[in-house]
Amino acid sequence: MVAMLSPQDAWNRLEAHLQPCATELLARRRALGRVLAAPVRATLDVPAADVSAMDGFAVAGPPGEPLPVAGRIVAGDAPGRVLAVGTALRIMTGAPIPAGADRVLPVEVAKLDDQGRVLFSTGGEPGDHIRRRGEIVRAGAPLVAAGTWLTPGTLAVLATHGLGELPVVGLPRVAVLVTGDEVVPPDQQPAPGQLRDSHGDFLLAAVGELGHTVVHHGIAPDDPAALRDRMVAALAESDILLTTGGVSMGELDHVETVLAELDFEALVTAVAVQPGKPFVAARRADGKWVFGLPGNPASVMVSFWLFVRPVLRRLAGSPDGFWHGALAARLAAAAPGAGPRDRFLPASVQTLAGELWVTPHPPRGSHDLDAYGRGTALLRIPAGAVPAAVGAACEILPLVDWRLGGGVP
């Protein structure tokens, strides 16, 4: 039996066993949100030639007299045009600079006379409005570093270099198994004493949001043999199994016993957090993980956000950890204190004058799914803290993108 740990100590025990998954090749257009596993080099010079940065006229030197316009160059034309002495060439943005030209004078400073010659109000300087070959990157130079999170912008850069497949960090397969004789599927009418499964939908969405493949393996009864069979089947198809319920000290809590039978080492069995104290993290020699989340909805959510989510991100190659990415904020409403454990409350967030303001939603207990379901951030109240007034400093962990309607209602 592992003693109750501080949240940071619990994370330290997990972190010691976390290594990114093996590399896989993925089509570029499927790689959004993944982490690059190996560095990528440029395949061409960008720009590929000296090109114009403006619509205007390519000239040699500062023209003092009107110049005849000897032709036009547009984007997509092959390089190789030559500027004849004493002439100008009309040129479009992105078009290759002709040999002999040393500057581009934009259309804003040009005027055509009735003989079709162009006169300029300024002569400019050498190099004006010319994008030089390779000024962004040279072929063979480092382009994107290993460990880079692939954003839409990064994928655009890689597309420019014709990279169709990318080496990315793999994602572990995740399974979900809910336990409890009292739990029925969401689409079933519960009998007296029963309740619908909310854990499955939360975990499917929360894991799926990270890009992982996740499969719900249904609801296991409070029977050790049946639970063992269901866990074995789920682990055969996954790298990580998330269970809910069965991790407290009750007569029907069998998860830890079954894990020991399946040769899992329990790294964590209890954490000094509220809600979420009974939390099991176990690992086997073959690298498979089981996270035994508590049975109450708030405890499932908080345990996932504090520990399981950062584990999944670390395995996928992203930096994360307990309370990693927390932000400083101020209270928009009073917050309660905390007992001997760190307390985590659901909260909503809004931005006022460049500061984050947080409205806590104090729950009625770890069964208060409504309060935690409305939260767009997790507010941390340190162990032993006294109640805090409006305006007090606080720390929050983002749970959603607040720009998508996640502010204070």
Side-chain angles (χ1 to χ4, degrees):
M1 175 69 69
V2 181
M4 183 167 68
L5 303 171
S6 73
Q8 186 60 58
D9 286 343
W11 173 256
N12 291 344
R13 292 198 178 191
L14 303 180
E15 185 179 35
H17 299 277
L18 297 177
Q19 296 294 330
C21 292
T23 300
E24 63 181 10
L25 285 176
L26 198 63
R28 186 188 65 252
R29 289 186 175 178
R30 295 179 54 209
L32 179 65
R34 301 293 288 272
V35 174
L36 197 64
V40 172
R41 292 185 174 273
T43 64
L44 74 168
D45 293 341
V46 178
D50 290 356
V51 297
S52 177
M54 301 282 286
D55 289 341
F57 295 86
V59 298
E65 300 293 332
L67 298 176
V69 179
R72 184 182 70 168
I73 312 173
V74 300
D77 284 352
R81 290 286 293 274
V82 177
L83 177 69
V85 176
T87 69
L89 280 170
R90 185 181 290 274
I91 194 166
M92 306 303 170
T93 303
I97 299 295
D102 72 347
R103 70 198 70 193
V104 171
L105 300 179
V107 293
E108 289 83 359
V109 301
K111 184 178 180 180
L112 293 172
D113 64 15
D114 55 7
Q115 299 180 47
R117 299 176 303 177
V118 62
L119 179 65
F120 301 98
S121 60
T122 179
E125 298 291 335
D128 277 359
H129 308 303
I130 296 177
R131 298 169 180 163
R132 295 300 182 186
R133 176 175 181 171
E135 70 178 27
I136 302 300
V137 66
R138 286 284 186 180
L143 185 65
V144 182
T148 299
W149 182 53
L150 296 174
T151 66
T154 312
L155 294 176
V157 171
L158 296 169
T160 298
H161 291 264
L163 297 165
E165 285 191 324
L166 305 174
V168 299
V169 179
L171 296 179
R173 301 164 300 162
V174 182
V176 172
L177 179 63
V178 176
T179 75
D181 291 337
E182 76 282 14
V183 184
V184 298
D187 56 357
Q188 181 175 324
Q189 181 65 38
Q194 294 182 326
L195 52 86
R196 290 188 174 99
D197 168 31
S198 64
H199 302 332
D201 278 51
F202 168 74
L203 292 172
L204 289 174
V207 175
E209 186 177 45
L210 301 177
H212 297 256
T213 298
V214 55
V215 177
H216 196 331
H217 284 261
I219 301 169
D222 290 322
D223 173 77
L227 177 61
R228 187 183 193 279
D229 290 345
R230 299 290 286 276
M231 291 178 70
V232 168
L235 285 164
E237 301 176 5
S238 64
D239 306 298
I240 296 175
L241 172 60
L242 309 181
T243 67
T244 66
V247 293
S248 295
M249 304 297 290
E251 183 179 341
L252 299 180
D253 293 324
H254 303 300
V255 169
E256 290 183 68
T257 301
V258 172
L259 285 175
E261 294 175 0
L262 297 177
D263 297 323
F264 278 85
E265 176 190 3
L267 304 175
V268 178
T269 59
V271 187
V273 296
Q274 180 188 4
K277 173 185 171 184
F279 167 72
V280 174
R283 188 175 183 273
R284 200 162 61 184
D286 60 2
K288 301 213 173 191
W289 288 85
V290 174
F291 292 96
L293 308 177
N296 280 312
S299 301
V300 169
M301 291 180 171
V302 171
S303 298
F304 179 87
W305 288 324
L306 294 183
F307 301 108
V308 179
R309 185 171 72 172
V311 164
L312 293 175
R313 285 177 171 166
R314 285 289 288 271
L315 293 174
S318 294
D320 211 336
F322 168 72
W323 211 238
H324 178 84
L327 302 173
R330 294 193 177 276
L331 290 173
R341 292 177 277 158
D342 282 8
R343 189 175 182 185
F344 295 89
L345 300 183
S348 297
V349 182
Q350 66 178 349
T351 303
L352 296 173
E355 282 192 304
L356 297 176
W357 287 83
V358 180
T359 300
H361 304 304
R364 298 183 182 183
S366 58
H367 63 292
D368 192 347
L369 173 60
D370 182 66
Y372 282 87
R374 290 188 295 123
T376 60
L378 207 56
L379 169 65
R380 184 181 188 180
I381 302 176
V386 299
V390 172
C394 63
E395 279 194 344
I396 55 171
L397 188 68
L399 302 179
V400 301
D401 187 339
W402 299 321
R403 295 167 300 177
L404 302 179
V408 175

